Amino acid sequence: MKKYDPKTIEPKWQQTWADTKLYAAITGDTTRAKYYMLTEFPYPSGAGLHAGHTREYTLGDVMARHKRMQGYNVLYPMGYDAFGLPTENFAIKHKIRPQDATAQNVAVFRQQFDSLGLSIDWDREVNTTHPDYYRWTQWLFLKFFEEGLAYQAEMPINWCPFEKTGLSNEEVVDGKHERCGTPVEKKLIKQWMLKITAYADRLIEGLKTVDYPSRIADQQVNWIGRSEGAEIDFAVGDHKVTVYTTRPDTLAGATFLVLAPEHPVVDQITTDDQRQEVEAYVKQAQGESEIDRQNTDRTKTGVFTGAYSTNPITGAKVPVWIADYVLASYGTGAIMAVPAHDERDFAFAAAFDLPTSAVMAAPRTKTALLLHGLEGHNQKAWYPWLKAQLESFGYNVIAPNMPNAEFPTLEEWLAALEPLANQLGPDSVIIAHSLGAPTAAQFILKHQLKIKHLLLVAPTFPDMPWGAYPKEYFSTNGQNVHDITMVPVDWSKLASAAGRITVFASQNDPYIPYDLLKQHVAANLPKAQFTTFPAMQHFSEGGNINTLPAAIPVLVDDCFTGYAPLINSGQFNGLEGAEAKQAIIKHLEAKGSAKTAVKYKLRDWIFSRQHYWGEPIPIVHCEHCGAVPVPEDQLPITLPDVEHYEPTATGESPLAAITDWVNTTCPKCDGPAKRETDTMPNWAGSSWYYLRYMDAGNNQAFASPEAMKYWGEVDLYLGGMEHTTLHLLYSRFWHQFFYDQGLVPTTEPYAARRGQGIVLAADGRKMSKSIGNVVNPTDIIESYGADTLRLYILFMAPYDETTPWSEERLAGASRFVWRVWALAQELIEAHAFTRAMKPGPGDAFETEVDRATHKAIKKVHDELGGMRFNTAVSALMEYVNFLSGAKTKTRLLEPASAAVAWRALNTLVQLLAPITPHMSEELWQQLGWEGSVHVAGWPKYDPELIKDDVVVIVVQVNGKVRANFAISPDATEAELTEAALADPNVAKYLNDGKLVKTIVVPRKLVNFVVK
RNA sequence: GGGCGGGUGGUGGAAUGGUAUACACGGGGGACUUAAAAUCCCCUGGCCUCACGGUCUUGCGGGUUCGAUCCCCGCCCCGCCUACCA
């Protein structure tokens, strides 16, 4: 018996396939349907292929092979995305040229691709760093320039102040430079930009015409972040501030404006007395590290500019602030703050005691218990005010019904509260004033209430044990003292009941020493927040409800951000949602101070890199003519050979130091000029490489129109999920632009996109060199062979799931491959196979084997077509288990079974060919075939043959399985019912009650419903 | 906070309204062997039972249905992406 030896047969067939150009795709072949299978080309790093690459390319290869065997003209190309920082750094470190480093790495990758047995058409190989390739990248860039979509602007770059170098986003980890740990700063420099925002809507629209998984399509839509709203002008002194808002309906509730610290008007509107503070804040905001900005629940900071504007609806005076929560890069860099209806504005208003004005009544879906204390403060005056406040935040306000509200005892108090306990849920708040505070605590603990927020307004005397109330207080006031006794409260237990506890106090309260109260809060309420309460201050100072300032303090920790009919909005009262927005915009539009506007989160693409190893941007800067494109016939602008690749201390590219190269003449006026020294990002070459594969050798055009027309859209594009919002979006943008320029025939580059899951290390963590848990595909091929590796990769999990690597399961895959080989050898040795074997099934045994064979064809075909590779493999395992089972195999080895064995074995080899191409090719040859199995066609199944003679019918009683029996699939309902009733176990259950209903599902089950 | 996935044996996973746990890994037992490895065969969700069989089980709680891992409603947990985008 021939021994299975992957180390011999795999390289042998790889060589044969290469020599015969077996996988060549034929441009223009109209005799077959085309299929363009694309996998993302790799960045050829020094580390070689990793497990993720192996998964991606194996999946792509199986798809390509399956399609090819079905007769498609398959294009499955490969190339290298080789520009970029890793190679540049590698070259600096090892003191070699990046060109040489790339060539070395590419050679390693190529060898590894071949060893995996990938069916790639290598005549179409591309490399983004070859001048023949990047000539066209530059040419395409000039198209953007000609159309005004490539422009220059001052943009911040990541800057390491220690190494004095610009950094890519990848080099910034947790806000620090990954090499030296220095906090990264921003530095403004002039950079090239691509106007991807001009295609924002098209990029969203185009998604409707392609087949992308929702997680990818949704993420792109999310990333583009389209929002519709309005720009509204506010006069600030002589200046105009335009804000962007999606909620113009809430305009009347705008109680202040906030500008980004970098907003150009800040300097001009700041008043002299605020200038110092404002300048300090602006400076601080500039130096803010990435770490601070990434902190999500940071408290709001900001500074008042001293300037005021006017609310165009209410006429109220609105202060103008600056704060870093407003981003200069989004919208207009300025907002109108509506704290009553926006969470961020709400938090800002809370932090700086800014006024709040509700312009919508929130639907009352939550409950607030208002527990006022004894008289003595003017709680009677502010009770209705507080009630109105809470209602505007969507609370139903409830209060205990107190028979003797003057001086109740604790027992009386709790008895009055008793009926309210079940009205309080996790959304509820309790607000308790004065003696109500310890009462609320007792109430919560007694009923084990879970509430959202407990607000204690000046709880009780701080110099007494919490919860006890001093008689002296009343007697000194000359009051009639009721015998009040309060049980001391264990305040720490409240922390688990109330989601939040806030203790409010007034600095001017005549009865409560402020500092002492603060101390007690800190000591006794671990979860509590202590804060002053301006409204209470107002009352403490003798004010009443009528003199309450328009500045209404923030009281509860949520605000209503939904839609409801407007209030406090003058002529717009009663309007709601879109109607209200329209009415308000129209009103302001008439005065010329507002217009509708659409904004995107998507920013224009910063297309400059201050590095050597990238495509030079083909622009010449001339003193007279400005930025001038390099004429087409002078392309490519090649990279000069240089000694040093290190970035410069000025933030410029190393190319800037090469005067020979930089100094040139202006193509327009022949005057002295300088070349652009920035290079393109490594997303440039990958934005159009799929087009180059269609016509890789063309030196007249990036690809011929004929080739692009023939290959059309990529039929299936497989790659990593991490490229969803960068590479995938960028290349769609380029393609849509090319379409508009008449350069490509299709509107979208990729008809379908799929993302493969991540391969984790066996320990469930990410594979990482530093942990030392990486799997090297070359090692696996060395020990098991590429066919085993491929089979295992397909079998380990659904292709798009993240799943851990397992050496044990890999060994299992290996056992399967060996079993197939052994079975094939036994059959080949037992029979003198010839190609003239009789075709059809014979006796019952042959029918049984043929049926299994054709079922396997159907199953494997369907599963591969649906990319369910793991179940395709298990179907093959079941089929092989059947063939090699002792009973079947013994008969297959008998001379009379030669024909059926031949049919089975040929089919098995064909079905395995996309998965284990080398072994299949070897066995195909051993079976006596001349050509390659990979172009030998894909087996077809006979639908008649796979129909079973008998089916197993399940019998249920009240939905529980009680028996099963085999019967002809054509059995009638009556026959099924009769057979089901005949089962003794079923009869047993039917005797227990009355049969009320019988459900019969032909070929599946019978269910008796018994009462 | 937002978006998108997911939760099934000891493990990877199968089943998209009809016998839950296919296929594989791991584990147990056996055959072969002087022995081991390899290979082959049998068993392998929990509980009760000598057995026949029964019973429970797909994150939790409800609902729809003769029947729910699958459909609907409400929760909990995990992963990925994203994040002060007005």
Side-chain angles (χ1 to χ4, degrees):
Chain A
M1 186 192 279
K2 283 193 182 123
K3 194 170 170 288
Y4 175 57
D5 181 16
K7 271 191 192 165
T8 307
I9 63 169
E10 291 186 352
K12 179 182 82 180
W13 286 114
Q14 285 156 13
Q15 191 60 52
T16 306
W17 297 334
D19 291 346
T20 56
K21 293 197 187 296
L22 187 66
Y23 307 119
I26 316 294
T27 299
D29 182 351
T30 52
T31 63
R32 297 179 288 170
K34 67 95 189 179
Y35 190 86
Y36 187 173
M37 175 70 227
L38 182 66
T39 45
E40 285 174 355
F41 61 168
Y43 189 94
S45 72
L49 284 186
H50 56 65
H53 288 130
T54 312
R55 191 176 195 185
E56 176 177 344
Y57 301 132
T58 300
L59 295 167
D61 189 54
V62 171
M63 291 301 287
R65 287 181 180 279
H66 184 215
K67 288 286 176 188
R68 193 180 292 112
M69 288 180 76
Q70 288 175 73
Y72 286 88
N73 181 22
V74 171
L75 171 55
Y76 183 46
M78 190 56 71
Y80 304 96
D81 185 20
F83 272 133
L85 212 52
T87 302
E88 183 167 309
N89 287 339
F90 183 86
I92 291 170
K93 200 171 151 192
H94 294 91
K95 303 206 183 304
I96 57 173
R97 299 164 69 236
Q99 286 83 345
D100 298 336
T102 298
Q104 277 175 25
N105 294 342
V106 162
V108 172
F109 269 68
R110 174 60 197 273
Q111 192 277 322
Q112 288 183 306
F113 283 136
D114 286 340
S115 73
L116 271 171
L118 302 181
S119 61
I120 288 161
D121 180 355
W122 284 109
D123 288 349
R124 294 168 182 270
E125 177 179 341
V126 303
N127 183 326
T128 57
T129 66
H130 283 174
D132 288 345
Y133 183 92
Y134 70 72
R135 168 187 179 185
W136 298 109
T137 310
Q138 291 173 337
W139 187 87
L140 291 165
F141 172 84
L142 290 178
K143 297 292 150 198
F144 285 101
F145 182 77
E146 284 162 17
E147 295 302 313
L149 291 179
Y151 63 97
Q152 290 182 93
E154 290 268 333
M155 290 303 292
I157 56 164
N158 298 310
W159 178 255
C160 173
F162 180 74
E163 290 195 10
K164 298 209 186 322
T165 175
L167 305 173
S168 71
N169 287 333
E170 295 79 52
E171 292 176 289
V172 182
V173 176
D174 294 331
K176 293 176 189 160
H177 182 196
E178 64 166 354
R179 247 197 326 257
C180 66
T182 312
V184 169
E185 291 176 2
K186 296 283 180 194
K187 185 182 168 89
L188 279 179
I189 64 168
K190 205 172 185 187
Q191 307 208 63
W192 283 95
M193 309 285 294
L194 285 194
K195 211 172 173 68
I196 188 172
T197 51
Y199 279 76
D201 281 332
R202 289 269 298 280
L203 288 166
I204 294 171
E205 279 303 300
L207 289 171
K208 289 176 187 157
T209 69
V210 294
D211 169 20
Y212 288 15
S214 67
R215 66 172 130 173
I216 292 174
D218 289 351
Q219 220 182 101
Q220 290 205 348
V221 170
N222 223 340
W223 184 262
I224 294 166
R226 180 193 159 94
S227 74
E228 289 176 20
E231 286 183 0
I232 300 173
D233 299 334
F234 283 78
V236 182
D238 296 338
H239 302 279
K240 190 176 85 175
V241 170
T242 304
V243 305
Y244 174 69
T245 179
T246 55
R247 296 297 302 270
D249 52 318
T250 63
L251 176 57
T255 49
F256 54 99
L257 301 184
V258 189
L259 311 188
E262 302 89 347
H263 195 284
V265 89
V266 168
D267 191 46
Q268 298 150 48
I269 63 169
T270 301
T271 57
D272 290 340
D273 51 334
Q274 290 297 106
R275 187 163 298 278
Q276 205 179 346
E277 213 181 329
V278 166
E279 282 173 359
Y281 184 79
V282 170
K283 203 175 166 194
Q284 179 209 319
Q286 247 164 17
E288 213 155 59
S289 68
E290 291 288 323
I291 313 172
D292 294 335
R293 284 196 182 259
Q294 278 164 15
N295 187 0
T296 47
D297 39 42
R298 56 203 292 231
T299 49
K300 294 271 185 291
T301 60
V303 172
F304 180 45
T305 60
Y308 288 89
S309 185
T310 309
N311 184 306
I313 293 186
T314 63
K317 206 175 166 189
V318 296
V320 182
W321 286 64
I322 61 168
D324 65 1
Y325 85 93
V326 175
L327 307 176
S329 51
Y330 182 75
T332 59
I335 62 156
M336 63 177 209
V338 185
H341 305 297
D342 181 277
E343 282 177 25
R344 295 148 306 183
D345 300 342
F346 183 93
F348 192 76
F352 292 98
D353 274 338
L354 288 163
T356 295
S357 168
V359 292
M360 290 180 290
R364 293 188 205 150
T365 55
K366 301 165 283 186
T367 305
L369 171 62
L370 201 48
L371 246 181
H372 49 80
L374 296 169
E375 48 63 59
H377 294 285
N378 19 13
Q379 73 270 32
K380 279 176 184 159
W382 62 281
Y383 178 79
W385 169 82
L386 193 53
K387 186 164 185 263
Q389 276 289 292
L390 287 162
E391 284 173 348
S392 79
F393 285 117
Y395 285 92
N396 273 313
V397 177
I398 58 172
N401 183 17
M402 302 290 285
N404 173 10
E406 286 297 300
F407 301 108
T409 63
L410 177 65
E411 287 71 27
E412 286 169 330
W413 219 321
L414 290 174
L417 286 167
E418 191 84 41
L420 304 180
N422 59 10
Q423 293 185 37
L424 297 166
D427 266 348
S428 307
V429 298
I430 297 179
I431 298 164
H433 174 233
S434 184
L435 192 51
T439 308
Q442 298 286 8
F443 177 57
I444 289 169
L445 293 173
K446 182 179 171 191
H447 294 280
Q448 290 293 304
L449 294 177
K450 288 275 179 209
I451 59 166
K452 184 164 98 184
H453 198 162
L454 174 64
L455 297 101
L456 305 173
V457 185
T460 181
F461 259 30
D463 52 345
M464 297 298 294
W466 280 61
Y469 213 83
K471 292 177 182 180
E472 294 76 13
Y473 170 59
F474 300 100
S475 47
T476 52
N477 269 10
Q479 300 278 337
N480 176 24
V481 178
H482 196 83
D483 183 19
I484 300 168
T485 48
M486 300 294 289
V487 181
V489 177
D490 184 353
W491 292 92
S492 63
K493 284 192 178 148
L494 280 180
S496 57
R500 274 184 63 188
I501 301 172
T502 309
V503 180
F504 286 100
S506 158
Q507 303 212 25
N508 288 352
D509 193 301
Y511 306 110
I512 300 171
Y514 183 80
D515 293 339
L516 270 177
L517 181 58
K518 205 169 168 181
Q519 270 178 30
H520 275 255
V521 170
N524 293 295
L525 284 171
K527 258 178 86 176
Q529 180 188 340
F530 183 88
T531 179
T532 58
F533 186 17
M536 190 173 148
Q537 188 131 346
H538 171 75
F539 290 115
S540 299
E541 286 162 2
N544 64 42
I545 191 72
N546 298 317
T547 58
L548 198 67
I552 300 169
V554 169
L555 189 63
V556 278
D557 63 345
D558 56 0
C559 62
F560 174 62
T561 57
Y563 287 92
L566 293 183
I567 55 170
N568 302 327
S569 297
Q571 62 185 103
F572 304 106
N573 281 349
L575 296 178
E576 183 180 349
E579 207 187 354
K581 288 180 185 182
Q582 228 169 24
I584 289 177
I585 295 171
K586 216 172 156 189
H587 171 74
L588 296 177
E589 227 165 14
K591 296 197 280 182
S593 62
K595 61 174 190 210
T596 57
V598 172
K599 300 285 176 195
Y600 303 90
K601 283 198 251 180
L602 183 71
R603 309 293 150 84
D604 275 342
W605 176 5
I606 301 174
F607 202 68
S608 283
R609 296 293 182 270
Q610 294 72 43
H611 287 285
Y612 171 81
W613 193 228
E615 301 90 343
I617 291 176
I619 294 286
V620 166
H621 296 282
C622 166
E623 271 177 44
H624 299 290
C625 313
V628 180
V630 172
E632 273 182 37
D633 57 14
Q634 289 177 30
L635 296 180
I637 302 299
T638 53
L639 284 167
D641 262 322
V642 296
E643 296 282 320
H644 301 287
Y645 307 104
E646 287 82 354
T648 61
T650 58
E652 284 179 295
S653 154
L655 291 173
I658 307 166
T659 47
D660 288 0
W661 186 83
V662 170
N663 292 324
T664 183
T665 53
C666 172
K668 246 190 200 167
C669 70
D670 269 342
K674 285 184 187 301
R675 289 196 188 283
E676 172 62 56
T677 59
D678 280 355
T679 51
M680 300 187 201
N682 74 328
W683 307 110
S686 59
S687 289
W688 71 280
Y689 75 116
Y690 57 93
L691 295 170
R692 188 64 178 169
Y693 285 141
M694 297 174 182
D695 195 8
N698 195 328
N699 55 17
Q700 302 300 310
F702 64 96
S704 74
E706 296 75 33
M708 287 190 283
K709 186 155 182 273
Y710 178 77
W711 291 109
E713 291 181 327
V714 170
D715 291 280
L716 178 62
Y717 189 20
L718 191 64
M721 297 289 185
E722 70 275 17
H723 291 136
T724 299
T725 52
L726 296 173
H727 160 63
L728 202 57
L729 202 61
Y730 290 155
S731 58
R732 290 185 57 228
F733 161 49
W734 277 43
H735 194 94
Q736 291 184 345
F737 169 71
F738 298 160
Y739 177 77
D740 289 350
Q741 298 303 308
L743 297 172
V744 297
T746 56
T747 54
E748 285 280 338
Y750 319 117
R753 166 79 183 190
R754 296 290 182 271
Q756 81 274 0
I758 298 163
V759 182
L760 300 174
D763 56 17
R765 293 184 291 180
K766 281 208 163 139
M767 285 193 190
S768 142
K769 247 194 255 175
S770 57
I771 302 175
N773 57 3
V774 290
V775 172
N776 182 345
T778 303
D779 297 343
I780 306 298
I781 293 171
E782 183 68 19
S783 336
Y784 294 93
D787 284 339
T788 291
L789 174 60
R790 294 167 58 107
L791 186 112
Y792 168 64
I793 280 172
L794 300 179
F795 185 57
M796 61 183 174
Y799 78 96
D800 55 350
E801 289 296 326
T802 294
T803 195
W805 182 263
S806 162
E807 192 77 25
E808 289 86 1
R809 283 186 253 280
L810 175 73
S814 177
R815 278 198 284 277
F816 171 74
V817 171
W818 279 79
R819 248 196 349 264
V820 171
W821 178 269
L823 174 68
Q825 297 311 316
E826 277 191 83
L827 292 174
I828 289 169
E829 283 171 22
H831 300 292
F833 284 139
T834 73
R835 274 185 259 164
M837 293 284 180
K838 64 173 172 153
D843 61 11
F845 172 71
E846 290 202 23
T847 305
E848 188 192 357
V849 174
D850 283 332
R851 177 168 294 141
T853 302
H854 283 244
K855 279 183 170 179
I857 295 171
K858 177 171 167 40
K859 177 82 174 166
V860 171
H861 179 76
D862 291 349
E863 299 303 274
L864 287 182
M867 295 182 73
R868 292 176 297 271
F869 304 101
N870 55 329
T871 47
V873 172
S874 58
L876 282 162
M877 286 174 167
E878 285 178 82
Y879 180 50
V880 170
N881 286 348
F882 166 77
L883 292 178
S884 59
K887 215 177 98 201
T888 315
K889 196 168 81 179
T890 310
R891 286 208 57 182
L892 279 177
L893 291 170
E894 289 169 7
S897 301
V900 72
W902 166 255
R903 292 196 292 274
L905 190 53
N906 271 301
T907 306
L908 176 62
V909 168
Q910 283 174 296
L911 293 181
L912 276 166
I915 299 168
T916 55
H918 310 90
M919 178 178 72
S920 296
E921 191 79 307
E922 181 73 17
L923 293 175
W924 191 248
Q925 190 194 41
Q926 288 181 21
L927 283 166
W929 299 95
E930 305 257 309
S932 167
V933 68
H934 301 297
V935 290
W938 184 249
K940 289 193 170 55
Y941 67 90
D942 177 352
E944 286 305 309
L945 190 53
I946 61 175
K947 281 185 187 158
D948 285 305
D949 294 338
V950 291
V951 288
V952 174
I953 305 293
V954 170
V955 188
Q956 296 181 336
V957 179
N958 288 340
K960 284 191 192 292
V961 180
R962 295 303 174 186
N964 62 55
F965 61 89
I967 197 165
S968 154
D970 304 323
T972 63
E973 291 199 11
E975 286 167 339
L976 290 172
T977 308
E978 193 188 344
L981 286 168
D983 188 283
N985 200 36
V986 173
K988 192 175 89 189
Y989 284 94
L990 291 184
N991 287 338
D992 290 351
K994 202 177 118 202
L995 183 63
V996 290
K997 198 172 175 186
T998 304
I999 290 119
V1000 181
V1001 183
R1003 308 168 66 96
K1004 288 233 166 96
L1005 94 162
V1006 179
N1007 186 12
F1008 296 109
V1009 185
V1010 174
K1011 274 209 170 138

